[in-house]
């Protein structure tokens, strides 16, 4: 499967019969739908811009906000540049320790995006695996997996995530707590979210497992995991893609919420949520820029992800074609 | 029907037992309960005595059974932090959270339903498109950001409304409410709006989808043909048929609202259950955490079960096994 695809891509110029991957993408319904939805284009451009600036943060940020020696105290509490007291290079002002807000936002977005992405990836791999196993084999193993899922869904998402981070940080020694903050968050957000993927995959795995081609494959002794991966999984990728996109937005939101509540990223490696938590202390002292700009960035990221997710859901929905 | 009822309740009981197991594991294995309760001067003998008194030397199954029995009677032990009965603490704080969730639910219905109807009726018009876009923005705004922005605008800049606390409250027995005093009502405005934002968009989207479906139905065409005024058809005949799913959604979301209230309560320093929980998390006050977890899960599961059973009662087709799929969604 993999081999033929690459071969087609390289031979495309010689054999016009088989379109290249690029051409297939260009002529696809999905691409057409994308081009005709201005909101989807806007969201994609915005997200790409945010992601690019976040990942290039070490090269483009005016300051390294983690480097305590770079912080100068007399540069503290400078308002944004359009204010009369604003100073270059602090375009969006500085906080009470002289940290450049723009740099903090760029670095913070990087952490938020990585945690969001990693937790979706983890939830996806766990959810798809367990869902395939449950749907394909059925029986007691299906029962166990789905019951665990039921219990997880019977508690509010945010509560599970808070409990996991709270327990993890209570049982870890202080020296490890900050180092492991990001992995703990990724895990805490993934635990309540794998169930949705598992349910979706299980439903289609149950249908597919009864079909004749699967029976035939079993008959010629194709290995179970091969049937699941190559035949069943591709059949349920459409709803999974939509769910994963929307959950990416939810994961970023959850990370921000946990960090805002003080059970997420520590102040010395702040995500957007931590920045908002820090800014919240100065809410009444007139230093509005410390809190408003990270909030705007967070909202823009989640908004663009959700707009893409919404578009994808409509574009892939056969009923709406 | 009775078979279905038993099955559904058994299901709910199973989920609650699993949640209790989780709470028990947290209570028993994360931090030694004895070390948390005694002070530093306690002798080895004191500790052993307390360990025996708490029953921590019994078998784990006995301990779990006792944990569940106590939980059913509302006994969650003593808070590590302030040495008070956990249930008393929660009873103290619950009314504040209740006020908040109640007002947020009312706001979400009063604002969400008309907006949903408007977006459905004036489909493809600029207003409807703007509202649709607004609903995506509403889903994307974290509730704590909404709260902070509201505080910045209406408390810090304009000084119209209080930014923290409950204001004056009226006590009715052990219950207290801020709804009966002017300052209590003013204090409720900002927190409940920030809690309701997400819910408004949910209600709005649901009403829109249901209305679009209903407006295509034959009885609507017939009502129009008979000469019933358009607005009456839309706001009375069509809307009425959309309300059932809205009620379901509202019922199922109350558990989520209570959980999400902990974020709002942190932003607005609202003395509710959620604040209690967040403080317990900070101080690793495990009995309070376990109790909160079980109470919220119970409310969640109970509401889901009630909704399911009501549906099965109204619509016999749902009494088959298929009803289970909708059970734990929410």
């Amino acid at each position: 499967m993999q081999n033929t695809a690459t071969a087609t891509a390289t031979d495309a110029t010689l054999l016009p019969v088989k379109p290249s991957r690029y051409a297939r993408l260009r002529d696809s319904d999905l691409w057409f739908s994308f081009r005709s939805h201005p909101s989807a284009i806007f969201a994609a451009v915005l997200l790409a811009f945010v992601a690019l600036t976040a990942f290039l943060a070490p090269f483009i940020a005016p300051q390294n906000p983690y480097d305590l020696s770079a912080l100068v105290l007399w540069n503290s509490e400078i308002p944004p540049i359009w204010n009369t007291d604003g100073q270059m290079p602090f375009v969006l002002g500085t906080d009470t320790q002289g940290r450049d807000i723009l740099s903090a936002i760029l670095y913070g977005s990087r952490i938020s995006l990585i945690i969001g992405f990693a937790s979706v990836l983890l939830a996806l791999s766990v959810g798809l695996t367990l869902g395939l196993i449950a749907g394909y084999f059925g029986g007691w193993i299906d029962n166990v997996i789905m019951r665990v899922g039921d219990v997880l869904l019977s508690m509010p998402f945010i509560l599970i995530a808070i409990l996991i981070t709270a327990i993890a940080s209570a049982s870890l020694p202080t020296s490890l707590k900050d180092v492991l903050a990001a992995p703990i968050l990724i895990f805490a957000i993934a635990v309540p979210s794998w169930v949705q993927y598992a349910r979706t995959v299980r439903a289609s795995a149950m249908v597919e497992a009864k079909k004749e081609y699967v029976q035939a494959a079993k008959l010629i002794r194709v290995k179970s995991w091969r049937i699941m991966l190559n035949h069943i999984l591709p059949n349920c990728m459409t709803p999974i893609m939509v769910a994963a996109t929307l959950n990416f937005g939810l994961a970023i939101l959850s990370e921000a919420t946990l960090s805002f509540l003080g059970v997420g990223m520590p102040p010395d490696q702040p995500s957007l949520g931590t920045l908002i938590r820090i800014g919240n202390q100065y809410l009444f002292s007139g230093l509005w820029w410390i809190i408003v700009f990270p909030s705007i960035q967070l909202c823009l990221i989640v908004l663009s992800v959700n707009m893409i997710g919404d578009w994808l859901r409509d574009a892939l929905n056969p009923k709406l074609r | 029907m009775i078979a279905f009822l038993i099955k559904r309740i058994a299901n709910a009981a199973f989920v609650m037992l699993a949640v209790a197991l989780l709470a028990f594991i947290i209570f028993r294995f994360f931090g030694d309960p004895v070390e948390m309760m005694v002070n530093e001067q306690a002798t080895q003998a004191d500790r052993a005595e307390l360990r025996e008194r708490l029953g921590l030397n019994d078998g784990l199954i006995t301990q779990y059974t006792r944990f569940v029995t106590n939980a059913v009677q509302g006994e969650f032990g003593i808070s590590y932090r302030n040495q008070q009965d956990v249930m008393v603490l929660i009873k103290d704080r619950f009314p504040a959270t209740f006020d908040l969730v109640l007002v947020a639910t009312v706001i979400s219905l009063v604002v969400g339903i008309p907006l949903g109807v408007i977006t459905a009726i004036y489909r493809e018009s600029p207003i409807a498109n703007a509202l649709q876009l607004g609903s995506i923005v509403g889903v994307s705004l974290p509730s704590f950001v909404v709260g902070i922005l509201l505080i910045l605008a209406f408390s810090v800049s304009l000084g119209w409304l209080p930014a923290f606390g409950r204001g004056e409250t009226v006590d009715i027995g052990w219950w207290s409410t801020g709804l009966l005093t002017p300052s209590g009502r003013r204090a409720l405005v900002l927190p409940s709006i920030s809690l309701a934002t997400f819910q408004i968009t949910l209600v709005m989207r649901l009403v829109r989808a249901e209305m679009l479906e209903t407006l295509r139905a034959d009885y609507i065409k017939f009502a129009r043909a008979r000469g019933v005024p358009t607005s009456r058809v839309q706001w009375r005949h069509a809307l009425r048929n959309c309300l059932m799913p809205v009620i379901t959604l509202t019922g199922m979301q109350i558990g989520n609202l209570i959980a999400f209230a902990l974020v709002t309560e942190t932003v607005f320093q609202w003395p509710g259950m959620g604040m209690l929980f967040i403080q317990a998390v900070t101080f690793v006050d495990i009995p309070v955490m376990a109790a909160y977890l079980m109470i919220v899960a119970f409310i969640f599961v109970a509401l889901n079960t009630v909704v399911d059973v009501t549906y099965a009662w109204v619509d016999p087709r749902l009494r088959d096994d298929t009803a289970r799929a909708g059970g734990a969604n929410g």
Side-chain angles (χ1 to χ4, degrees):
Chain A
M1 176 81 193
Q2 204 69 45
N3 289 336
T4 44
T6 29
T8 352
T10 45
D11 295 345
T13 41
L14 301 170
L15 302 164
V17 201
K18 285 186 179 175
S20 72
R21 260 187 185 178
Y22 168 71
R24 281 205 331 247
L25 181 69
R26 194 190 54 207
D27 298 336
S28 69
D29 292 347
L30 199 60
W31 181 244
F32 176 77
S33 155
F34 180 73
R35 277 186 312 168
S36 48
H37 277 76
S39 62
I41 296 175
F42 167 77
V45 170
L46 183 64
L47 189 63
F49 177 74
V50 168
L52 199 68
T53 49
F55 285 97
L56 294 177
F59 307 106
I60 58 171
Q63 190 191 61
N64 180 355
Y66 308 131
D67 184 6
L68 289 178
S69 62
L71 305 182
V72 187
L73 213 52
W74 61 75
N75 278 339
S76 64
E77 303 186 17
I78 297 176
I81 194 82
W82 53 88
N83 203 298
T84 40
D85 297 327
Q87 280 173 31
M88 275 311 270
F90 308 111
V91 181
L92 299 181
T94 60
D95 69 3
T96 49
Q97 293 173 311
R99 192 179 279 127
D100 177 38
I101 299 288
L102 177 63
S103 310
I105 288 178
L106 292 178
Y107 278 86
S109 310
R110 191 163 69 148
I111 295 180
S112 295
L113 286 171
I114 290 175
I115 293 180
F117 191 73
S119 66
V120 169
L121 219 57
L122 180 64
L124 256 181
S125 40
V126 173
L128 295 186
T129 314
L130 292 181
L132 277 177
I133 292 174
Y136 185 78
F137 293 112
W140 66 269
I141 192 159
D142 173 33
N143 243 323
V144 171
I145 294 174
M146 287 298 116
R147 288 292 118 174
V148 172
D150 282 354
V151 172
L152 282 175
L153 283 188
S154 68
M155 285 181 282
F157 190 102
I158 193 78
L159 195 54
I160 302 175
I162 292 176
L163 276 176
I164 292 175
T165 49
I167 293 166
S169 65
S171 47
L172 281 175
T174 329
S175 55
L176 280 176
K177 225 183 267 179
D178 286 0
V179 186
L180 291 179
I184 292 171
L185 275 176
I186 293 169
F187 180 74
I189 296 168
V191 167
S193 39
W194 64 266
V195 188
Q196 191 188 353
Y197 306 120
R199 285 193 167 184
T200 314
V201 177
R202 173 179 172 264
S204 45
M206 278 167 74
V207 176
E208 297 295 322
K210 290 197 191 80
K211 287 197 179 156
E212 278 162 4
Y213 75 94
V214 173
Q215 302 294 335
K218 272 184 186 165
L219 211 63
I220 57 169
R221 301 238 173 146
V222 179
K223 291 210 167 55
S224 301
W225 62 266
R226 238 199 134 89
I227 299 179
M228 288 193 255
L229 275 186
N230 290 349
H231 301 293
I232 297 177
L233 193 58
N235 276 312
C236 40
M237 276 326 275
T238 310
I240 292 289
M241 256 163 70
V242 177
T245 314
L246 290 171
N247 277 346
F248 180 47
L250 187 66
I252 293 174
L253 266 189
S254 310
E255 185 279 325
T257 306
L258 292 172
S259 294
F260 175 76
L261 291 174
V263 290
M265 294 304 287
D268 55 350
Q269 20 173 346
S271 71
L272 289 173
T274 323
L275 290 176
I276 298 171
R277 175 182 170 80
I278 296 170
N280 198 23
Q281 298 161 6
Y282 308 109
L283 195 57
F284 297 98
S285 52
L287 307 174
W288 55 271
W289 57 89
I290 301 181
I291 195 163
V292 167
F293 295 122
S295 306
I296 292 175
Q297 173 84 344
L298 176 64
C299 296
L300 284 181
I301 294 177
V302 181
L303 179 65
S304 56
V305 172
N306 280 345
M307 279 165 87
I308 294 173
D310 255 31
W311 159 75
L312 204 59
R313 183 176 51 201
D314 291 350
L316 294 177
N317 186 347
K319 275 189 206 157
L320 292 178
R321 282 222 178 111
Chain B
M1 183 64 206
I2 290 179
F4 175 82
L5 195 68
I6 292 171
K7 206 163 154 187
R8 207 57 200 79
I9 289 174
N11 212 347
F14 165 79
V15 170
M16 278 317 293
L17 280 178
V19 174
L21 181 63
L22 197 70
F24 171 71
I25 291 172
I26 296 171
F27 173 73
R28 188 63 189 77
F29 295 105
F30 291 94
D32 184 355
V34 173
E35 290 303 316
M36 296 283 199
M37 282 185 210
V38 297
N39 56 22
E40 272 152 37
Q41 287 89 36
T43 62
Q44 208 58 40
D46 286 344
R47 284 166 208 236
E49 197 258 337
L50 181 63
R51 188 171 291 275
E52 186 59 45
R53 196 152 50 85
L54 289 173
L56 295 177
N57 295 331
D58 299 345
L60 281 179
I61 295 184
T62 326
Q63 287 189 45
Y64 172 60
T65 321
R66 188 165 44 219
F67 183 85
V68 172
T69 330
N70 286 341
V72 170
Q73 295 163 349
E75 286 281 331
F76 291 99
I78 307 289
S79 157
Y80 293 160
R81 192 162 73 97
N82 39 20
Q83 304 296 324
Q84 263 182 301
D85 193 331
V86 173
M87 211 50 204
V88 172
L89 283 174
I90 288 187
K91 224 164 141 185
D92 248 22
R93 303 292 198 96
F94 185 75
T97 303
F98 182 84
D99 271 2
L100 194 57
V101 170
L102 179 73
V103 176
T105 306
V106 171
I107 292 178
S108 71
L109 293 177
V110 170
V111 179
I113 293 177
L115 288 183
V117 175
I118 290 170
T119 46
I121 297 177
Y122 304 110
R123 206 181 163 195
E124 307 293 328
S125 77
I127 315 169
N129 285 338
L131 285 174
Q132 273 294 92
L133 188 67
S135 82
I136 301 183
V137 175
V139 186
S140 310
L141 287 175
S143 71
F144 62 94
V145 169
V146 177
I148 288 168
L149 295 181
L150 286 175
I151 290 180
L152 268 179
F154 294 101
S155 301
V156 179
S157 302
L158 298 169
W160 288 354
L161 292 161
F164 51 83
R166 272 185 93 185
E168 274 172 57
T169 55
V170 177
D171 292 337
I172 306 165
W174 62 272
W175 192 266
S176 70
T177 176
L179 288 168
L180 299 175
T181 65
S183 88
R185 281 192 294 262
R186 274 161 49 89
L188 263 167
V189 176
L190 295 183
S192 48
I193 291 176
S194 92
L195 184 58
T197 314
F198 185 75
Q199 186 81 356
I200 290 174
T201 61
L202 278 188
V203 172
M204 176 183 151
R205 286 174 163 219
L206 182 69
V207 171
R208 174 178 183 269
E210 291 288 326
M211 278 293 280
L212 287 177
E213 195 104 324
T214 314
L215 285 175
R216 277 200 290 265
D218 286 341
Y219 78 95
I220 295 291
K221 286 180 195 148
F222 179 71
R224 279 219 177 111
R226 234 180 74 203
V228 181
T230 314
S231 68
R232 200 180 153 85
V233 172
Q234 289 163 340
W235 292 90
R236 243 187 117 85
H237 299 218
L239 181 58
R240 272 197 185 173
N241 271 291
C242 302
L243 288 183
M244 198 55 200
V246 176
I247 293 168
T248 317
L249 176 85
T250 307
M252 288 195 163
Q253 277 289 322
I254 283 180
N256 263 332
L257 276 183
I258 292 178
F260 245 89
L262 67 87
V263 181
T264 316
E265 287 174 10
T266 311
V267 176
F268 289 93
Q269 300 294 304
W270 189 262
M273 270 200 319
M275 269 261 279
L276 186 72
F277 175 69
I278 287 295
Q279 283 160 354
V281 166
T282 328
F283 292 96
V284 203
D285 192 348
I286 288 174
V288 176
M289 284 164 65
Y292 179 84
L293 173 69
M294 293 211 43
I295 289 171
V296 172
F298 176 75
I299 296 174
F300 213 74
V301 171
L303 285 172
N304 278 349
T305 311
V306 168
V307 167
D308 267 13
V309 170
T310 320
Y311 258 51
W313 181 51
V314 175
D315 186 349
R317 281 171 303 176
L318 295 175
R319 283 174 208 170
D320 310 333
D321 219 21
T322 43
R324 226 188 60 204
N329 270 325

PDB file of all heavy atoms in Angstrom, chain B residues 7 75 92 96 102 121 181 188 201 227 250 274 300:
ATOM      1  N   LYS B   7     -32.781  -2.383  34.933  1.00  0.00           N
ATOM      2  CA  LYS B   7     -31.529  -2.447  34.196  1.00  0.00           C
ATOM      3  C   LYS B   7     -30.788  -1.106  34.246  1.00  0.00           C
ATOM      4  O   LYS B   7     -29.587  -1.032  34.499  1.00  0.00           O
ATOM      5  CB  LYS B   7     -31.866  -2.775  32.739  1.00  0.00           C
ATOM      6  CG  LYS B   7     -30.761  -3.471  31.988  1.00  0.00           C
ATOM      7  CD  LYS B   7     -31.380  -4.079  30.752  1.00  0.00           C
ATOM      8  CE  LYS B   7     -30.408  -4.244  29.635  1.00  0.00           C
ATOM      9  NZ  LYS B   7     -31.077  -4.677  28.419  1.00  0.00           N
ATOM     10  N   GLU B  75     -21.257  10.038  54.753  1.00  0.00           N
ATOM     11  CA  GLU B  75     -20.101  10.144  55.647  1.00  0.00           C
ATOM     12  C   GLU B  75     -18.827  10.074  54.817  1.00  0.00           C
ATOM     13  O   GLU B  75     -18.486   9.035  54.279  1.00  0.00           O
ATOM     14  CB  GLU B  75     -20.097   8.965  56.631  1.00  0.00           C
ATOM     15  CG  GLU B  75     -21.136   9.062  57.713  1.00  0.00           C
ATOM     16  CD  GLU B  75     -20.679  10.006  58.818  1.00  0.00           C
ATOM     17  OE1 GLU B  75     -19.462  10.109  59.018  1.00  0.00           O
ATOM     18  OE2 GLU B  75     -21.540  10.648  59.435  1.00  0.00           O
ATOM     19  N   ASP B  92     -22.339  23.447  53.461  1.00  0.00           N
ATOM     20  CA  ASP B  92     -22.159  24.888  53.576  1.00  0.00           C
ATOM     21  C   ASP B  92     -22.007  25.552  52.223  1.00  0.00           C
ATOM     22  O   ASP B  92     -22.513  26.643  52.001  1.00  0.00           O
ATOM     23  CB  ASP B  92     -20.855  25.142  54.343  1.00  0.00           C
ATOM     24  CG  ASP B  92     -21.122  25.742  55.690  1.00  0.00           C
ATOM     25  OD1 ASP B  92     -22.257  25.551  56.161  1.00  0.00           O
ATOM     26  OD2 ASP B  92     -20.210  26.372  56.236  1.00  0.00           O
ATOM     27  N   ALA B  96     -24.260  27.951  47.300  1.00  0.00           N
ATOM     28  CA  ALA B  96     -23.635  28.973  46.452  1.00  0.00           C
ATOM     29  C   ALA B  96     -23.493  28.456  45.029  1.00  0.00           C
ATOM     30  O   ALA B  96     -23.817  29.162  44.059  1.00  0.00           O
ATOM     31  CB  ALA B  96     -22.272  29.346  47.029  1.00  0.00           C
ATOM     32  N   LEU B 102     -28.075  27.432  38.713  1.00  0.00           N
ATOM     33  CA  LEU B 102     -29.479  27.712  38.403  1.00  0.00           C
ATOM     34  C   LEU B 102     -29.587  28.933  37.496  1.00  0.00           C
ATOM     35  O   LEU B 102     -30.227  28.904  36.435  1.00  0.00           O
ATOM     36  CB  LEU B 102     -30.253  27.948  39.705  1.00  0.00           C
ATOM     37  CG  LEU B 102     -31.734  28.274  39.517  1.00  0.00           C
ATOM     38  CD1 LEU B 102     -32.495  27.025  39.100  1.00  0.00           C
ATOM     39  CD2 LEU B 102     -32.333  28.852  40.783  1.00  0.00           C
ATOM     40  N   ILE B 121     -34.887  30.673  11.432  1.00  0.00           N
ATOM     41  CA  ILE B 121     -35.892  31.326  10.592  1.00  0.00           C
ATOM     42  C   ILE B 121     -35.242  32.157   9.494  1.00  0.00           C
ATOM     43  O   ILE B 121     -35.627  32.104   8.330  1.00  0.00           O
ATOM     44  CB  ILE B 121     -36.796  32.243  11.443  1.00  0.00           C
ATOM     45  CG1 ILE B 121     -37.577  31.413  12.458  1.00  0.00           C
ATOM     46  CG2 ILE B 121     -37.776  32.989  10.558  1.00  0.00           C
ATOM     47  CD1 ILE B 121     -38.412  32.253  13.368  1.00  0.00           C
ATOM     48  N   THR B 181     -31.616  39.098  47.801  1.00  0.00           N
ATOM     49  CA  THR B 181     -31.165  40.448  48.155  1.00  0.00           C
ATOM     50  C   THR B 181     -30.614  41.131  46.909  1.00  0.00           C
ATOM     51  O   THR B 181     -30.086  40.471  46.010  1.00  0.00           O
ATOM     52  CB  THR B 181     -30.040  40.419  49.209  1.00  0.00           C
ATOM     53  OG1 THR B 181     -28.899  39.786  48.603  1.00  0.00           O
ATOM     54  CG2 THR B 181     -30.437  39.664  50.442  1.00  0.00           C
ATOM     55  N   LEU B 188     -24.359  37.950  41.384  1.00  0.00           N
ATOM     56  CA  LEU B 188     -24.566  36.759  40.552  1.00  0.00           C
ATOM     57  C   LEU B 188     -24.410  37.031  39.051  1.00  0.00           C
ATOM     58  O   LEU B 188     -24.156  36.116  38.281  1.00  0.00           O
ATOM     59  CB  LEU B 188     -25.967  36.204  40.796  1.00  0.00           C
ATOM     60  CG  LEU B 188     -26.110  35.060  41.786  1.00  0.00           C
ATOM     61  CD1 LEU B 188     -27.572  34.859  42.140  1.00  0.00           C
ATOM     62  CD2 LEU B 188     -25.553  33.778  41.210  1.00  0.00           C
ATOM     63  N   THR B 201     -24.381  28.692  23.615  1.00  0.00           N
ATOM     64  CA  THR B 201     -24.100  28.259  22.250  1.00  0.00           C
ATOM     65  C   THR B 201     -24.603  26.842  22.003  1.00  0.00           C
ATOM     66  O   THR B 201     -25.091  26.536  20.919  1.00  0.00           O
ATOM     67  CB  THR B 201     -22.592  28.308  21.961  1.00  0.00           C
ATOM     68  OG1 THR B 201     -21.925  27.435  22.860  1.00  0.00           O
ATOM     69  CG2 THR B 201     -22.042  29.691  22.140  1.00  0.00           C
ATOM     70  N   GLY B 227     -53.628  29.664   7.071  1.00  0.00           N
ATOM     71  CA  GLY B 227     -53.637  31.104   7.298  1.00  0.00           C
ATOM     72  C   GLY B 227     -53.204  31.515   8.687  1.00  0.00           C
ATOM     73  O   GLY B 227     -53.453  32.642   9.104  1.00  0.00           O
ATOM     74  N   THR B 250     -30.463  20.281  28.676  1.00  0.00           N
ATOM     75  CA  THR B 250     -30.286  21.052  29.892  1.00  0.00           C
ATOM     76  C   THR B 250     -30.103  20.140  31.092  1.00  0.00           C
ATOM     77  O   THR B 250     -29.202  20.339  31.911  1.00  0.00           O
ATOM     78  CB  THR B 250     -31.515  21.965  30.116  1.00  0.00           C
ATOM     79  OG1 THR B 250     -31.717  22.708  28.918  1.00  0.00           O
ATOM     80  CG2 THR B 250     -31.302  22.906  31.252  1.00  0.00           C
ATOM     81  N   GLY B 274     -16.973  24.238  44.197  1.00  0.00           N
ATOM     82  CA  GLY B 274     -15.826  24.166  43.298  1.00  0.00           C
ATOM     83  C   GLY B 274     -14.585  24.782  43.918  1.00  0.00           C
ATOM     84  O   GLY B 274     -13.486  24.234  43.838  1.00  0.00           O
ATOM     85  N   PHE B 300     -24.460  13.747  38.205  1.00  0.00           N
ATOM     86  CA  PHE B 300     -24.319  13.461  36.780  1.00  0.00           C
ATOM     87  C   PHE B 300     -25.066  12.181  36.393  1.00  0.00           C
ATOM     88  O   PHE B 300     -25.907  12.172  35.494  1.00  0.00           O
ATOM     89  CB  PHE B 300     -22.816  13.276  36.521  1.00  0.00           C
ATOM     90  CG  PHE B 300     -22.336  13.720  35.188  1.00  0.00           C
ATOM     91  CD1 PHE B 300     -22.219  15.066  34.896  1.00  0.00           C
ATOM     92  CD2 PHE B 300     -21.958  12.790  34.236  1.00  0.00           C
ATOM     93  CE1 PHE B 300     -21.741  15.474  33.672  1.00  0.00           C
ATOM     94  CE2 PHE B 300     -21.487  13.200  33.003  1.00  0.00           C
ATOM     95  CZ  PHE B 300     -21.382  14.533  32.722  1.00  0.00           C
TER      96      PHE B 300
END
